[in-house]
Amino acid sequence: MRPAGIDRAALLSAALLAVSMACGAPAQAGANNAGVARCGSRKVAAIGRGCRDLLRAEARFLRNGDGAARAARIAAVGGRLTAEWSRAEAAAADARCAARSADADAAAARLTAAVSAATAAVPGSVECRRALVGLWAPLCRSAVASERAALRGAASAAPAHLRARIAARWPAPGCAGGPDAAAASRTILRLAAGAAADATTRGLRALGADIGVAVGAAIEPDEVASDVDYTSALAHDIDSLTAENVMKWGVVHPQPATWNFGPADAVVARAEAAGQRVRGHTLNWGALQLPGYVSAATTAGELRAHMAEPIAGLVGRYAGRVAQWDVVNEPLPGFLEAPTPDGLDDNIFHQRLGADYIAEALYLARAADPTARLYINENGLEVPGAKQDRFFALVQALLAAGAPLDGIGFQAHLGLVPPGQYPNAATIEASLRRFADLGLDVELTEVDVTLLFVSGALPARFAVQGDDYRALGEACAAVPRCRGITTWGLNDQYSWLRPFLGATDWPLPFDEAWRRKPAYFGLRAGLLYGRLSMN
Ligand code: XIL
């Protein structure tokens, strides 16, 4: 019982103060956040100038081809960037400013490589290339500057005028048969997004919110509880939580008479305290983590009764609090499994109830919470082919039958399923659109990018992975019905792929020491590109 006469708001603010002091956060958090934003804004301005100057150098040296002078100019731009970066950090006197941007050398190296690659990719005569790169130079700076406005909390400057400027000057002299204006705009916006992504101090959460994409993470509540850095990363970058395991049947209802809601409650409570959305995962998964008593059911009636229990138990318990549910997980066989006669996974539900178990599960979930968005979640859908086609036919049949289906979860374990395949942004976007065009929401629900099939030294592999994360961000940002991007974990140390593969892998945006990897900045760049190309 609470003692009488104690004001709840006062208790809450005392508790918050105690927590912030225990975490070493300054009491003037508001003022300091402004300092971090100012520092980010200075870095953004510096990298905008850097992008402009590198492009100017490319335009100039395309003509006279002086390799040594070009190298000296590029080094000078990098040096200035590094100096301005450290001045901004010194002025902020707040370690979060350094921690939330890329380090200056990495940012300069990425920008230089991106500018050279973009310049080299322009076809056509030297005049055409010079004209185009010369046109890009000021535009890059202004596109990057739209992130400065966002850092100051102002409405961001509309980059639509940039596209108009490219179109108005098109075709550039000597460019007959060269790139079109749309391709030229995409290149410059991508360059600007990558530059801003390295410099800004805003988190994934804020960048996703700009474009209506909830950036999420799957968590194990005990891992979060034992790692204070986990909590700050979630607060800054994450807008949606998924329970990695604790809402699964085998955990929540392991025996016929046993319910274990504690860890699931902890995930929901944590999300609510931080103003984050919850994705429920998962109510029916025939393939894995099923308790023995379910697999032992011998009749259809017995199995139906079992199937209803976790659906009513979980969906009912969190009605109005869990925004969406993966009602059925992985109804199709895995890529490495033998095909089945009707193309569906040969699990106990399918064996006893036929293909109808999927619609039945959806109806049960709808009845338990009419407001939750109901999803089917599947792996490997990012890649066109037989599996995507079979899944598409399943979804069409469910919709034709009037089943209550609201969305499709694309797991997006890139590189793992299908093994060795890393689809690019255009491919992922087309896959998402195929299902969104049926009138459904879509999400990337279990993102990670295994490095198992990427060779080379670790930093180079991280860079390749950064590009895959950028592709995922761009693809979701480009599809209006793509509502979220959830990574399966956040920090490599805790990734399920380590025990699953029995090998050290680095599939996530943060490394073991909570340093942001190129994957993190790639995802930021994808989200920023989404905003730049939307305006
Ligand atoms: C995984 C968890 O991450 C592991 O900890 C657990 O041992 C097995 O399940 N597809 C899914 C997720 O839909 O539920 C899986 O999660 C990963 C693959």
Side-chain angles (χ1 to χ4, degrees):
M1 214 177 80
R2 206 165 350 112
I6 295 193
D7 172 37
R8 282 193 71 194
L11 267 180
L12 188 67
S13 58
L16 282 175
L17 185 66
V19 169
S20 73
M21 284 165 60
C23 298
Q28 292 293 318
N32 279 284
N33 279 335
V36 175
R38 247 193 323 275
C39 171
S41 160
R42 288 177 66 165
K43 291 181 179 176
V44 168
I47 207 158
R49 282 191 294 275
C51 187
R52 177 197 63 192
D53 295 346
L54 287 172
L55 283 161
R56 276 188 183 155
E58 292 287 0
R60 174 161 166 207
F61 293 112
L62 265 172
R63 186 171 47 191
N64 66 20
D66 183 340
R70 178 175 171 272
R73 178 66 62 88
I74 288 173
V77 174
R80 203 170 56 223
L81 195 65
T82 311
E84 292 187 20
W85 220 257
S86 52
R87 277 202 297 277
E89 284 169 11
D94 183 328
R96 288 175 305 168
C97 176
R100 287 180 180 174
S101 315
D103 73 64
D105 292 337
R110 269 199 283 266
L111 183 62
T112 308
V115 165
S116 301
T119 310
V122 183
S125 65
V126 169
E127 303 86 82
C128 166
R129 297 174 65 195
R130 283 194 65 226
L132 179 54
V133 176
L135 174 61
W136 277 344
L139 298 187
C140 188
R141 189 179 175 194
S142 11
V144 174
S146 83
E147 179 58 16
R148 288 189 81 190
L151 272 158
R152 288 195 298 263
S156 62
H161 72 282
L162 305 179
R163 285 195 296 279
R165 272 166 74 186
I166 290 188
R169 303 264 298 269
W170 213 260
C175 274
D180 63 17
S185 308
R186 274 200 300 277
T187 303
I188 191 57
L189 295 182
R190 216 168 247 146
L191 266 177
D198 276 333
T200 189
T201 46
R202 291 201 301 149
L204 299 171
R205 185 178 193 178
L207 301 180
D210 284 350
I211 54 170
V213 172
V215 177
I219 60 161
E220 292 280 29
D222 56 345
E223 286 169 359
V224 179
S226 65
D227 183 340
V228 287
D229 294 327
Y230 212 144
T231 302
S232 22
L234 291 176
H236 188 239
D237 285 306
I238 296 303
D239 214 12
S240 172
L241 292 186
T242 302
E244 184 172 343
N245 284 297
V246 299
M247 288 188 185
K248 288 174 183 167
W249 201 330
V251 176
V252 99
H253 190 27
Q255 301 292 336
T258 307
W259 291 90
N260 175 29
F261 285 116
D265 285 350
V267 173
V268 175
R270 164 175 289 282
E272 286 176 344
Q276 292 154 335
R277 185 192 78 163
V278 181
R279 283 203 90 243
H281 176 84
T282 175
L283 301 170
N284 179 300
W285 190 14
L288 273 179
Q289 295 177 292
L290 261 191
Y293 69 90
V294 179
S295 318
T298 49
T299 67
E302 208 183 328
L303 194 62
R304 265 200 185 94
H306 282 321
M307 186 165 103
E309 288 168 23
I311 299 183
L314 281 163
V315 182
R317 184 179 186 84
Y318 302 120
R321 300 167 71 195
V322 167
Q324 48 175 262
W325 282 100
D326 288 332
V327 178
V328 178
N329 195 33
E330 301 182 353
L332 266 50
F335 276 88
L336 303 177
E337 283 164 16
T340 53
D342 69 356
L344 294 180
D345 185 41
D346 185 32
N347 63 48
I348 176 106
F349 301 101
H350 184 254
Q351 288 164 6
R352 301 267 186 275
L353 309 177
D356 286 348
Y357 86 91
I358 299 169
E360 286 182 31
L362 289 164
Y363 279 111
L364 288 168
R366 180 67 97 221
D369 180 2
T371 65
R373 305 288 288 169
L374 306 182
Y375 277 64
I376 303 182
N377 195 47
E378 183 56 90
N379 62 41
L381 297 179
E382 310 74 48
V383 179
K387 183 164 188 177
Q388 193 192 81
D389 292 345
R390 177 65 191 96
F391 194 82
F392 190 73
L394 168 68
V395 170
Q396 280 181 312
L398 286 165
L399 292 176
L405 176 64
D406 302 310
I408 303 301
F410 287 61
Q411 291 187 4
H413 293 292
L414 259 49
L416 186 76
V417 218
Q421 292 202 39
Y422 298 86
N424 65 21
T427 302
I428 301 169
E429 180 185 331
S431 301
L432 290 169
R433 268 191 208 286
R434 188 178 186 197
F435 290 87
D437 284 349
L438 294 174
L440 295 167
D441 288 343
V442 290
E443 290 218 14
L444 300 168
T445 54
E446 302 187 14
V447 168
D448 48 24
V449 179
T450 178
L451 291 182
L452 198 60
F453 300 97
V454 181
S455 55
L458 202 53
R461 294 162 82 197
F462 280 2
V464 170
Q465 184 184 55
D467 220 42
D468 290 322
Y469 269 90
R470 182 190 52 73
L472 289 158
E474 277 188 16
C476 181
V479 178
R481 295 204 67 159
C482 185
R483 308 292 185 194
I485 305 180
T486 288
T487 54
W488 208 243
L490 204 52
N491 172 314
D492 289 336
Q493 183 187 341
Y494 304 113
S495 167
W496 74 296
L497 284 175
R498 290 190 171 185
F500 181 76
L501 298 171
T504 305
D505 201 349
W506 299 269
L508 289 164
F510 288 86
D511 75 5
E512 295 89 341
W514 287 107
R515 282 178 302 238
R516 292 160 163 87
K517 293 163 60 191
Y520 177 94
F521 295 105
L523 185 50
R524 254 193 193 174
L527 297 169
L528 277 166
Y529 175 76
R531 180 162 63 71
L532 291 179
S533 36
M534 236 164 74
N535 283 329

